[in-house]
Every structure is written in C-alpha cells, then in structure tokens.
C-alpha cells in the first residue's frame, strides 16, 4: 500500500464474497457445510495463503476489529446467563442435579478436559523440537472460536436448546479464558505485571458487581 493511499478494492472483494458464498452453497446445503466454513475457505483462497487478492489494508483491519467486537456482543446476547444464578433453599441432590444440567458447568468441564489434552500435545511438540513455548502452544490449542460456533448453531436452529447453550458456553469460556491468559503471558514477558494486576482487579470488580 502506498503512503497516504487507501484502497477499497479488498473491501469490495470481501463484501462480494460474503454475498456470493451463501448463494453458492445453497444448492449443496444438504452436504451440511455451514456458511461460515465456506466463507473461511473463500477467505483463504483470496488471501495471502492463496491468490493474494486481498492484503492487509487499513480499512479491513479496522473493520475486522469492529466486526469481531460486534460478533462477540451478538454471541453474548444469545447466551442465557440465568443458569449462573442459583436459587437458595434447594436440597443438595437438587443442587447437584442443577449443576449437571448447567451449560456453564458442563462448558467449564469441557474446557478443562481440552486444556489437559492441549498441555499433553504441547509438551509432546516441545519434546520433538517443533515448538519452544509449551504453555503458549497449549493455550493456542485450547481456544475455540466463538465467531465460528455461534453462527453455525444459529444456522442450524439449535442455539436456544440446552445442547446449543452448552456448546456456546464452552466456546465462550474457552475464548475468554485463553485470550485472558495469552494476554497475561505476553504482559509478564514484556515486564508489564502491574497492568496484569490491574486487569485482574477489574475482573474481580466486574464479578462482584454482577453478583450484587
């Protein structure tokens, strides 16, 4: 990109693909290919890994950040947070039954299992000299893209079911926790431990405000 020149051609290509991919996938919808998967494949084809038609333009970078934040906001609206609030006066057996049906508990357990498997894979990759940072690789392998899970569940019409809410909660926990831990890992390596402490304090204040 030349200095002071902003090209809107990559944005035009992205908009055209976002309009054309669902139309092209509609005749083969019976194969079960989600629209978001088709759009990702189309992005790989026209991006730097493929034909190189779309580069890192300033307009696309701004819109990508805005779009990611907006998608996370919409995904948050789809989650039923009423499962977090426990009703008092319940017997232990009833409370245990509620925990087993709570999407956030199941999602947290699924993320814990995924993290353990990712740790094993990361240390194995370190053992064969493919990676240098096993903890960072474990976080990368543990993450789940909420931006992919939410559109697929909504497209299939199961986002409001218990199954859909459980998958959505698992993706939310994995996305949020891994982003937080990767940011903390980078801040500690950069010597910004005080900023990390401030983030933890803000998180505690947010949880306390929610409970109140």
């Amino acid at each position: 990109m030349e200095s002071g020149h902003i090209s809107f051609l990559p944005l035009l290509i992205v908009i055209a693909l976002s309009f054309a991919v669902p139309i092209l996938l509609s005749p083969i919808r019976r194969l079960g290919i989600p629209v978001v998967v088709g759009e990702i494949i189309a992005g790989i084809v026209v991006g730097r890994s493929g034909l190189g038609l779309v580069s890192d333009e300033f307009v696309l970078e701004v819109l990508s950040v805005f779009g990611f934040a907006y998608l996370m906001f919409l995904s948050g609206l789809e989650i039923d947070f009423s499962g977090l609030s426990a009703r008092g006066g319940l017997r232990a057996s009833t409370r245990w039954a509620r925990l087993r049906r709570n999407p956030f508990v199941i999602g947290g357990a699924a993320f814990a299992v995924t993290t353990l498997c990712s740790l094993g894979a990361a240390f194995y990759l370190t053992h064969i000299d493919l990676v240098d940072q096993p903890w960072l690789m474990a976080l990368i392998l543990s993450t789940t893209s909420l931006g992919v899970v939410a559109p697929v569940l909504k497209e299939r019409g199961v986002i409001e079911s218990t199954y859909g809410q459980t998958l959505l909660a698992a993706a939310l926990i994995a996305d949020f926790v891994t982003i937080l831990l990767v940011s903390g890992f980078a801040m500690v390596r950069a010597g910004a431990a005080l900023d990390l402490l401030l983030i933890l304090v803000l998180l505690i204040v947010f949880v306390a405000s929610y409970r109140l």
Side-chain angles (χ1 to χ4, degrees):
M1 183 177 65
E2 298 179 359
S3 178
H5 175 70
I6 298 178
S7 175
F8 289 92
L9 180 59
L11 178 60
L12 179 61
I13 295 175
V14 171
I15 293 175
L17 285 176
S18 64
F19 178 77
V21 168
I23 298 177
L24 295 176
L25 288 179
S26 57
I28 56 175
R29 188 63 59 86
R30 60 180 179 273
L31 297 179
I33 302 177
V35 173
V36 65
V37 175
E39 292 178 346
I40 291 175
I41 295 175
I44 294 175
V45 172
V46 301
R48 289 182 297 177
S49 300
L51 302 177
L53 299 178
V54 176
S55 58
D56 296 333
E57 294 288 343
F58 174 75
V59 177
L60 286 182
E61 291 179 0
V62 173
L63 291 179
S64 65
V65 175
F66 176 77
F68 176 75
Y70 186 64
L71 182 60
M72 293 289 285
F73 174 76
L74 293 180
S75 301
L77 294 179
E78 299 289 350
I79 300 176
D80 183 12
F81 286 96
S82 62
L84 287 175
S85 59
R87 292 176 294 182
L90 295 176
R91 294 178 300 175
S93 59
T94 305
R95 187 177 297 111
W96 173 246
R98 283 175 55 83
L99 287 177
R100 287 186 301 173
R101 294 193 300 266
N102 192 319
F104 290 92
V105 174
I106 300 176
F111 174 68
V113 173
T114 303
T115 303
L116 291 177
C117 296
S118 300
L119 278 173
F123 278 103
Y124 175 74
L125 294 176
T126 305
H127 177 70
I128 60 178
D129 296 329
L130 288 181
V131 297
D132 297 328
Q133 299 289 340
W135 297 103
L136 181 60
M137 177 56 63
L139 292 176
I140 294 174
L141 295 176
S142 300
T143 189
T144 301
S145 178
L146 186 63
V148 174
V149 175
V152 172
L153 293 177
K154 195 171 186 65
E155 181 181 346
R156 301 301 179 189
V158 297
I159 195 169
E160 296 182 357
S161 64
T162 303
Y163 174 73
Q165 288 294 307
T166 301
L167 289 181
L168 201 60
L172 174 66
I173 294 172
D175 222 358
F176 179 77
V177 173
T178 51
I179 289 176
L180 187 64
L181 292 178
V182 168
S183 301
F185 181 83
M187 293 172 68
V188 169
R189 288 180 62 87
L194 185 60
D195 295 335
L196 178 61
L197 180 61
L198 177 61
I199 293 176
L200 294 177
V201 171
L202 292 176
L203 181 61
I204 294 174
V205 171
F206 172 77
V207 174
S209 301
Y210 174 79
R211 296 300 299 176
L212 291 176

